[in-house]
Amino acid sequence: MDLTEYPTARPGPAPDTEEAFAQVMADVTGQENVSVDSNFFADLGANSLVMAQFCARVRKRADLPAVSIKDIYRNPTIASLVSALAETEEVPAEEPAPAAAPKRASRLEYFGCGILQVAVFLGYSYLVAQVLGVGTDWILAGASLLDYYLRAVVFGAMVLAVMCTLPIALKWILVGRWKPGEVRLWSLGYVRFWVVKTLVQRNPLVPLFVGSPLYSLYLRALGAKIGKGVTIFSRFVPVCTDLLTVGEGAVICKDTYFTTYRAQNGVLRTGPVSIGAHSYVGEMSVIDVETRLGANAQLGHASSLHAGQAVPEGQSWHGVPAVPADVHYRRVEPRSCGSVRRALFAVRQTLTAVFLLAPVVLGLLGGALNVLPNLSPAMGLGTAVLDFSNPKFYWKALAVSFILYFGLRLTGFLIVSFVPRLLNLALKPGEVYRLYTFRYTAHRAIRVLTNLRFFKTLFGDSSAIVHYLRALGCQVSKKEQTGSNFGLDEKYENPYLFESGAGTMVADGLSVVNAEYTSTSFRLSRVRVGAQNFLGNHVVYPAGAKTGDNCLLATKVLVPLDGPVREGVGLLGSPSFEIPRSVERDSQFDHPKTPEEFRRRLAAKTRHNLGAMLLYAVSHWLFFYGLLLLTWASDVYYDLIGAPLFAIDTAAMLLYGMLYFIALERITVFVRPQRPVSCSIYDRRFWRQERFWKAAAAGAIFRSLDGTPFKGAVWRLLGVKVGKRLFDDGSLIIEKTLVRLGDHVTLNIGSVVQCHSQEDGGFKMDRISIGSDCTVGTGALVHYGVTMGDGSSLAPHSFLMKGTEVPDRAHWGGNPAHEIRALRRQLAGKS
């Protein structure tokens, strides 16, 4: 059945609707009388948060037709809004099927699942420890440096082979072939799913596979039907691979989810995903189960296909959920790139891993066990036998860790500053290059080296980030320093081809698409973000974007590639539509009033940010110090315990890392508790929030708990108010102490719960409440001030805007999200 999504049918406007709307608007804006011809934004000073409250109050009145935030922006007066609603033809709708009752596991299953997951982790760690123990002892028994190297190559080749084949073998043993169906959460079937998912997705070789023919081989071995010449750049590996079909010559861009499963109502639903031959899937997209992309079809950046959607052959769609679009996202000419070239590239990667990567990793492991302990006499720590009972040992060890840690960081900074510049000499913008050549290898190395997280987190949200990005090669304007020009996380295909104008501010999650691909070629293009822009969170900014100066690009917006160049406007949604660039209410923060005051407050912000940067660097150094002590302790007890010590180390270091960063974040919040706030970015309350973001930036260490009962326990320790039996498959919750999750909540992979927003020079933060039995879809974002009623759900890749109130048991989706219902297309009688 071909399904699409339409707004839920509501009564058309009654004759007195204008008066009723005016009364609601007066209530939310605090005014006595509201004219039906007053502009919501220019005349009444409302902003998107106020209008979200207006929409929520209207939905609670059965005598009024429902309105969405998109209706508001397209019709910014009561008169035009009522007129537009009157012209909207009601679509006859089937009564929706009653929602399936949640399938809840028993308490025994829930805790039993956690116990089995711990047992699997410990058993796997013990197996790895035994192998590494034998191999390390054999390598260290070498008679010379050359002998060491050759032994490391042989043993490394064996380890790499096991790492590739073990996930594949266990998938076929534990599951066999994946089939469409349901797997009840926390059941034995789910434990099998989790084991396969963890091994398949956490394979350390996955970064090597991305953008390589080895990726296709890996997926084929797991059961996927992958055609010739497929190129996949997304690191998010699908799990139910037997349900995945990717046709010949298809391209899937980075940060795209095509997991072949989703979680909802206590079950995992597995379903087919079909991507046709020579099709194109844009960056940061989501492809849900039971979807199909026809041959030669295109799905745009920041777009999604929801369950039941199918893009016809040769068509281009974009948006959330995707709709037909007259835009071409595949804009590079193909080049000849045959099977021999692909095979040689795969062989070269394999040989590099065997003869370079494996010896380096094993050499570092051997150095940790042998060289570091022997530093003790040289550094004045005493004899070669480490004396943990001597208090002076810890102070001297602290000095050793300082030299090692900051020496490695300085070396890393020099590498990312100079090595990519040399590699970039081989590349020219506008040239179309073949994949799997030396230039492609250079491009991959540039992308990896210039996107390391540590330095962006260290310098982000401060005046220093501009200078760091310029050191990377970005042409970032220094004319207007705001102190928050860029956030903690930006990604570039090539930083040397990125430029931003004066006064532009960028929140976290920007992805600059200045490399475009086919399955056989790639082209680098210069990307410029205009002056006086503001870019919200998780924006994909492609080459050729039709935006100029003085634009506001909202969170998760689909940046247009067609039409005239937009200037002096805001863009919201996917597909995007114009909104006011700013409104009076957003300009009423306590911003600096004079140039002298601005310089003074910017200087104060910079000093505060420097303190936050220092605390971030010191906290990570102390974490490294703890790891060093654990490593030295391993050397002391290795002869006594032997190879199982590796397994103990793995568990101990993981537990130590979690407790350390939980304590770090909780101390930060304890010193300055988080509360709802609305202030200027030049207010001390915002600077403290920037310090918190740095303290909370180590959340990746908790990824190992995704899909386990322990993730809910960690969220509780971090301050989230969590109900019973949370299922978290890989979400991101930023301001934990402002979030409440009810019982049996489901958070899918890539979902974000974000209690803040920064727009230009204003900062707002508020609480989020997600009720019991709620589901947040893959890649969806819940903004600040949102309340989701019990049993409600949010579709994949949706953006639930600030201040929205979702009724109980409602299904919302889209960007911006609104209430939706799946209807037969033929019932609507419209395309």
Side-chain angles (χ1 to χ4, degrees):
M1 180 173 64
D2 188 14
L3 298 178
T4 189
E5 291 176 337
Y6 291 90
T8 304
R10 290 285 298 269
D16 57 350
T17 300
E18 287 188 355
E19 181 180 347
F21 274 165
Q23 182 59 51
V24 175
M25 181 61 68
D27 291 341
V28 296
T29 58
Q31 302 190 24
E32 292 185 7
N33 296 299
V34 172
S35 170
V36 296
D37 295 318
S38 297
N39 187 285
F40 302 142
F41 307 102
D43 299 326
L44 302 179
N47 55 22
S48 53
L49 179 59
V50 172
M51 297 317 301
Q53 295 169 349
F54 171 78
C55 294
R57 294 199 185 189
V58 168
R59 278 192 298 272
K60 293 177 181 179
R61 293 186 53 164
D63 61 324
L64 291 178
V67 294
S68 67
I69 199 71
K70 185 180 292 187
D71 296 329
I72 295 293
Y73 279 114
R74 288 179 172 173
N75 307 281
T77 68
I78 290 175
S80 62
L81 178 62
V82 172
S83 177
L85 293 173
E87 293 174 0
T88 302
E89 180 183 351
E90 268 194 73
V91 178
E94 291 180 327
E95 284 297 320
K103 298 183 178 180
R104 295 176 178 169
S106 66
R107 180 176 299 181
L108 178 62
E109 287 179 309
Y110 181 73
F111 289 106
C113 176
I115 293 171
L116 286 175
Q117 288 170 323
V118 170
V120 169
F121 169 76
L122 294 177
Y124 183 78
S125 299
Y126 181 78
L127 175 64
V128 171
Q130 291 287 359
V131 173
L132 287 178
V134 173
T136 303
D137 290 341
W138 180 64
I139 292 172
L140 295 177
S144 64
L145 183 61
L146 178 61
D147 196 16
Y148 287 153
Y149 172 75
L150 293 177
R151 287 172 180 247
V153 167
V154 173
F155 181 65
M158 296 173 58
V159 170
L160 291 173
V162 171
M163 290 169 62
C164 288
T165 57
L166 183 62
I168 298 168
L170 287 180
K171 179 263 178 183
W172 289 106
I173 293 171
L174 295 176
V175 176
R177 287 196 176 276
W178 292 104
K179 297 178 181 178
E182 294 183 352
V183 178
R184 189 159 52 85
L185 293 178
W186 316 122
S187 64
L188 287 175
Y190 172 73
V191 174
R192 293 200 303 272
F193 172 91
W194 175 83
V195 170
V196 172
K197 169 182 175 289
T198 302
L199 290 176
V200 166
Q201 293 189 332
R202 299 297 172 86
N203 189 332
L205 296 179
V206 166
L208 180 68
F209 294 158
V210 171
S212 164
L214 294 173
Y215 206 152
S216 297
L217 293 176
Y218 185 56
L219 294 179
R220 286 194 191 104
L222 288 167
K225 295 174 276 294
I226 308 293
K228 289 184 178 180
V230 170
T231 306
I232 302 174
F233 295 98
S234 176
R235 69 185 188 279
F236 303 125
V237 184
V239 178
C240 306
T241 43
D242 301 283
L243 303 177
L244 175 66
T245 301
V246 183
E248 175 182 356
V251 176
I252 301 175
C253 293
K254 72 174 185 285
D255 297 331
T256 291
Y257 290 100
F258 55 120
T259 57
T260 60
Y261 75 91
R262 62 171 172 171
Q264 188 171 9
N265 286 340
V267 297
L268 289 174
R269 290 185 171 84
T270 61
V273 171
S274 177
I275 300 173
H278 304 290
S279 57
Y280 180 93
V281 179
E283 186 169 314
M284 211 180 288
S285 295
V286 175
I287 302 179
D288 201 1
V289 299
E290 299 173 357
T291 54
R292 182 172 60 84
L293 198 68
N296 292 296
Q298 301 175 55
L299 180 66
H301 304 301
S303 301
S304 66
L305 292 179
H306 290 182
Q309 283 194 294
V311 181
E313 180 178 342
Q315 290 193 16
S316 178
W317 286 32
H318 67 196
V320 179
V323 295
D326 190 18
V327 182
H328 288 284
Y329 288 91
R330 183 175 49 213
R331 304 185 297 168
V332 184
E333 304 84 13
R335 297 288 298 272
S336 61
C337 183
S339 300
V340 174
R341 184 182 298 276
R342 294 173 181 274
L344 290 175
F345 183 84
V347 170
R348 188 163 65 248
Q349 276 193 304
T350 303
L351 294 178
T352 301
V354 171
F355 289 96
L356 180 62
L357 180 62
V360 167
V361 173
L362 293 172
L364 291 174
L365 179 62
L369 292 175
N370 293 275
V371 179
L372 286 179
N374 292 329
L375 287 174
S376 55
M379 299 303 298
L381 296 181
T383 63
V385 178
L386 301 171
D387 186 5
F388 286 92
S389 63
N390 186 353
K392 292 183 179 180
F393 162 79
Y394 294 97
W395 289 106
K396 295 179 179 180
L398 189 65
V400 173
S401 69
F402 180 89
I403 295 171
L404 287 175
Y405 179 79
F406 288 103
L408 290 172
R409 290 302 187 190
L410 178 60
T411 302
F413 180 82
L414 295 175
I415 290 174
V416 302
S417 298
F418 295 106
V419 173
R421 288 182 183 273
L422 296 176
L423 295 174
N424 194 55
L425 296 175
L427 302 169
K428 294 181 180 180
E431 292 285 336
V432 179
Y433 298 115
R434 292 183 179 89
L435 294 183
Y436 312 122
T437 59
F438 166 75
R439 287 187 172 88
Y440 178 65
T441 302
H443 167 61
R444 282 164 54 94
I446 291 171
R447 183 177 60 196
V448 171
L449 290 174
T450 57
N451 282 290
L452 298 179
R453 290 290 302 273
F454 173 80
F455 296 110
K456 292 179 183 177
T457 304
L458 175 66
F459 297 121
D461 288 328
S462 76
S463 300
I465 187 62
V466 171
H467 304 287
Y468 173 70
L469 293 179
R470 291 178 67 87
L472 282 186
C474 299
Q475 298 177 39
V476 179
S477 174
K478 298 188 297 183
K479 291 182 179 179
E480 292 188 35
Q481 175 64 262
T482 67
S484 292
N485 292 77
F486 289 85
L488 304 180
D489 183 22
E490 303 85 33
K491 289 180 287 188
Y492 313 94
E493 292 280 346
N494 186 304
Y496 306 100
L497 299 177
F498 173 71
E499 178 183 354
S500 70
T504 287
M505 300 174 66
V506 179
D508 287 334
L510 170 67
S511 183
V512 179
V513 188
N514 48 14
E516 300 168 289
Y517 301 93
T518 70
S519 62
T520 59
S521 61
F522 75 101
R523 179 181 65 194
L524 298 175
S525 302
R526 191 169 298 279
V527 170
R528 182 183 188 276
V529 177
Q532 304 300 325
N533 274 233
F534 177 79
L535 278 63
N537 296 99
H538 307 289
V539 172
V540 178
Y541 199 93
K546 297 294 186 178
T547 61
D549 296 339
N550 193 29
C551 288
L552 184 148
L553 305 182
T555 293
K556 291 176 71 74
V557 69
L558 176 62
V559 179
L561 286 171
D562 60 334
V565 175
R566 283 75 163 177
E567 292 192 338
V569 300
L571 294 175
L572 172 67
S574 180
S576 58
F577 55 91
E578 292 187 9
I579 62 174
R581 172 65 178 86
S582 61
V583 297
E584 181 181 355
R585 183 165 299 190
D586 285 336
S587 65
Q588 293 176 352
F589 295 109
D590 183 25
H591 295 309
K593 302 299 189 300
T594 64
E596 292 76 14
E597 184 186 3
F598 172 77
R599 286 192 292 269
R600 179 177 57 80
R601 293 174 69 174
L602 177 60
K605 182 180 188 302
T606 299
R607 289 192 296 270
H608 197 282
N609 290 154
L610 286 174
M613 292 163 58
L614 179 62
L615 287 174
Y616 176 76
V618 168
S619 65
H620 280 247
W621 161 45
L622 294 178
F623 174 66
F624 176 79
Y625 171 60
L627 292 179
L628 194 62
L629 291 178
L630 287 173
T631 303
W632 277 334
S634 299
D635 178 73
V636 171
Y637 294 102
Y638 183 77
D639 292 336
L640 177 64
I641 301 176
L645 185 64
F646 286 124
I648 298 173
D649 281 346
T650 301
M653 289 183 178
L654 182 62
L655 183 62
Y656 161 67
M658 291 182 180
L659 293 178
Y660 181 90
F661 287 108
I662 288 173
L664 177 65
E665 187 170 337
R666 293 296 283 171
I667 291 171
T668 305
V669 175
F670 177 78
V671 173
R672 296 295 179 187
Q674 293 179 325
R675 298 182 179 91
V677 66
S678 180
C679 66
S680 166
I681 66 170
Y682 301 105
D683 188 297
R684 187 176 297 273
R685 290 172 292 177
F686 176 67
W687 309 341
R688 292 166 179 163
Q689 184 64 20
E690 289 179 313
R691 182 176 59 196
F692 165 79
W693 289 333
K694 292 186 188 296
I701 196 170
F702 305 116
R703 293 295 188 193
S704 57
L705 301 180
D706 291 347
T708 72
F710 307 104
K711 191 65 178 289
V714 166
W715 284 138
R716 288 189 184 93
L717 291 173
L718 287 167
V720 181
K721 298 177 180 63
V722 182
K724 296 184 295 185
R725 301 179 197 175
L726 168 72
F727 178 76
D728 184 348
D729 198 34
S731 71
L732 173 62
I733 301 177
I734 303 174
E735 290 83 11
K736 288 82 172 175
T737 57
L738 298 180
V739 175
R740 185 190 72 83
L741 304 176
D743 298 335
H744 309 287
V745 168
T746 299
L747 303 176
N748 279 272
I749 186 170
S751 57
V752 179
V753 180
Q754 178 176 308
C755 296
H756 73 269
S757 175
Q758 178 193 342
E759 296 179 10
D760 291 319
F763 174 71
K764 301 173 186 177
M765 186 166 66
D766 204 352
R767 304 183 188 278
I768 291 176
S769 177
I770 299 178
S772 297
D773 297 306
C774 287
T775 296
V776 180
T778 301
L781 190 147
V782 180
H783 223 192
Y784 71 93
V786 161
T787 299
M788 292 183 64
D790 293 346
S792 60
S793 61
L794 184 64
H797 215 353
S798 298
F799 175 36
L800 192 55
M801 284 189 61
K802 52 193 173 186
T804 302
E805 296 181 22
V806 179
D808 293 351
R809 292 173 293 281
H811 178 49
W812 280 48
N815 180 359
H818 55 269
E819 190 171 5
I820 58 177
R821 178 182 297 171
L823 300 176
R824 295 177 185 269
R825 184 182 296 275
Q826 54 267 35
L827 283 177
K830 298 179 180 180
S831 62

